[in-house]
Amino acid sequence: MPNYQDEGYINKLLKEAEGASPGEISCILDKAARFEGLTPFEVAALLSTNSRELRARLFEVAFSIKKHIYGDRIVMFAPLYVSDYCVNGCLYCGFRCGHDYKRRRLTMDEVRREAELLERMGHKRLAVEAGEDPENCPLSYILEVIKTLYETKTGSGGRGDSQSGGYGEIRRVNVNIAATTVDEYRQLKDAGIGTYILFQETYHQPTYEKMHPSGPKSDYRWHTEAFDRAMEAGVEDVGGGVLFGLYDWRYEVLALMLHNEHLEQKFGVGFHTISLPRIRHAEGATLGKWRNAVTDSDFLLLTAILRLAVPYTGMIISTRETKEMRKDLIRCGVSQMSGGSTVEVGGYSLRERKAAQFSVQDERTPQEILLWLMDEDLIPSFCTACYRKGRTGDRFMSLAKSGQIKNVCLPNALMTLAEYARDYGSPAFKEKSAKLISRKTDGIPDENIRAEVRGNIERISGGASDLYL
Ligand code: SF4
Ligand code: SF4
């Protein structure tokens, strides 16, 4: 049994780490500050510390890692729910099979319509989400969705006026669908997916089995070992996550890091991203009280510890968090967020409120979120360059670990923001973003890259699209 599935091993590690002295914790923080990542034992030691001073230092280190590796950019994406048919009975989810309501799956015309709306919001990167139902939502349907999304373009390209609506296209489709076979993962890879995302929900097997009483997902090993099969099939970027609140968060963080270690040892590369969903009320969910609900302060702490442990892994939050929490989470190391999202099938077209999978906390429009990020001196980014340049899997990780990733992230963030502003920005947005872009471009340390970005921004204002390093 791999360590991340082994309850006895995880509890033993947590217990042993409780004895870590302040001196040892300090050494662990020094190591993290050198961007070296952490071993599972070191993660367990940080999880056990209650010292106010050491925690304050931990947050400082998380912020400095975030600044050093990712700079000021925040990558934007949107989820796209395409089907809420589901044969699983997950107790915490409104899409669970026992919940009686009218379900649907988008037709390809509807997928196209949703894609057009998302493109008009400026999105270039989507996460396709679907419940598990081999009959109503087979893999062939998901493959068709991916193809349709990549083919859907809006606007005439580069005119940047309100009549053309800007030049819209989806450049990266990530997929969050149920655990499946090596053969089906191979088909997803061939369809050109970016990251394959799967939330482990909880690593604690007894809790997992209680929360998943029926359906294929009730098989703990089938679900938790899905990334092994995906990577065997050649999918290079996989994204993990835990639904925080189902079980003790310290246990989950450590198990998540053991899972990462397992993938690194077996495939040479760990998680490309980690998503940080936290349990919320969902209409139709059967569980009402969350004994293990994670407080805001613990949630910030666990995010910061993950930032220290895996400095090169993207960390993602969704609209489930409030504006205030999003701001603090960014300081703790979050590098990607969704904006203007709906979590309903066909929700961008309908914006219906019925049968949402989870309730959404941050309901600002995408442009409001972008304006807010810029007010915080952050650069909203619509970049999808790495995937399209073949910088995936271990090639991505070696670039990240060499410290070079910032040299492409920042220029790409600036160029994609310029393209967004030209195509979709209000006059106030254009003004604000132009100032930010100019100031941040001036701050690019490498003279050649600085000149290239300036040239490209001029080309973008002259009509060019999709420029990236
Ligand atoms: Fe289905 Fe996923 Fe909801 Fe479980 S969490 S009921 S698998 S949609
Ligand atoms: Fe992400 Fe690569 Fe773009 Fe940076 S350059 S934002 S890592 S796709």
Side-chain angles (χ1 to χ4, degrees), residues 69-70 73-76 125 172 272 312 335-336 381-389 391 396 399-400 404-413 416 468-469:
I69 295 174
Y70 299 93
R73 62 89 167 145
I74 296 287
V75 170
M76 305 301 299
R125 177 189 291 246
R172 178 175 177 128
H272 185 69
Y312 305 105
S335 55
Q336 250 190 69
S381 172
F382 292 91
C383 176
T384 54
C386 283
Y387 159 71
R388 294 154 82 225
K389 282 249 180 187
R391 294 192 294 250
F396 171 82
L399 185 76
Q404 295 303 308
I405 197 72
K406 199 166 71 168
N407 295 336
V408 287
C409 285
L410 173 61
N412 289 335
T416 56
Y468 55 89
L469 308 184

Side-chain angles (χ1 to χ4, degrees), residues 158 415-416 418-419 422 455-465 467:
M415 291 185 278
T416 56
E419 188 180 331
R422 179 199 69 195
N456 280 348
I457 297 229
E458 264 194 54
R459 286 174 62 202
I460 290 166
S461 55
S465 290
L467 305 180

Side-chain angles (χ1 to χ4, degrees), residues 139-284:
L139 187 77
S140 54
Y141 169 77
I142 298 291
L143 296 174
E144 212 185 333
V145 166
I146 296 167
K147 185 165 176 283
T148 304
L149 291 173
Y150 279 133
E151 283 173 0
T152 304
K153 319 267 178 196
T154 46
S156 53
R159 290 221 310 271
D161 58 42
S162 54
Q163 276 172 338
S164 77
Y167 177 56
E169 62 179 354
I170 301 304
R171 297 173 183 162
R172 178 175 177 128
V173 179
N174 298 331
V175 171
N176 180 359
I177 57 164
T180 186
T181 59
V182 173
D183 178 54
E184 293 208 336
Y185 283 125
R186 209 167 277 132
Q187 295 181 53
L188 282 169
K189 180 182 163 54
D190 292 345
I193 62 163
T195 308
Y196 171 64
I197 303 162
L198 185 70
F199 298 162
Q200 304 306 309
E201 318 296 12
T202 170
Y203 282 95
H204 184 246
Q205 189 164 356
T207 305
Y208 185 93
E209 284 165 359
K210 191 172 141 214
M211 293 292 158
H212 305 97
S214 60
K217 193 170 165 181
S218 60
D219 184 337
Y220 174 80
R221 288 195 54 191
W222 174 253
H223 188 77
T224 52
E225 291 170 13
F227 290 144
D228 292 60
R229 297 191 297 279
M231 287 182 139
E232 272 164 36
V235 175
E236 289 186 295
D237 292 343
V238 297
V242 162
L243 182 51
F244 284 103
L246 294 181
Y247 189 62
D248 176 58
W249 60 270
R250 290 181 179 82
Y251 185 100
E252 305 287 20
V253 169
L254 185 54
L256 189 64
M257 290 301 91
L258 286 164
H259 195 176
N260 187 67
E261 183 184 58
H262 163 82
L263 295 174
E264 272 181 354
Q265 285 169 355
K266 194 166 167 189
F267 299 100
V269 58
F271 293 128
H272 185 69
T273 55
I274 289 177
S275 300
L276 300 169
R278 204 159 43 137
I279 200 104
R280 297 262 169 219
H281 171 73
E283 192 188 323

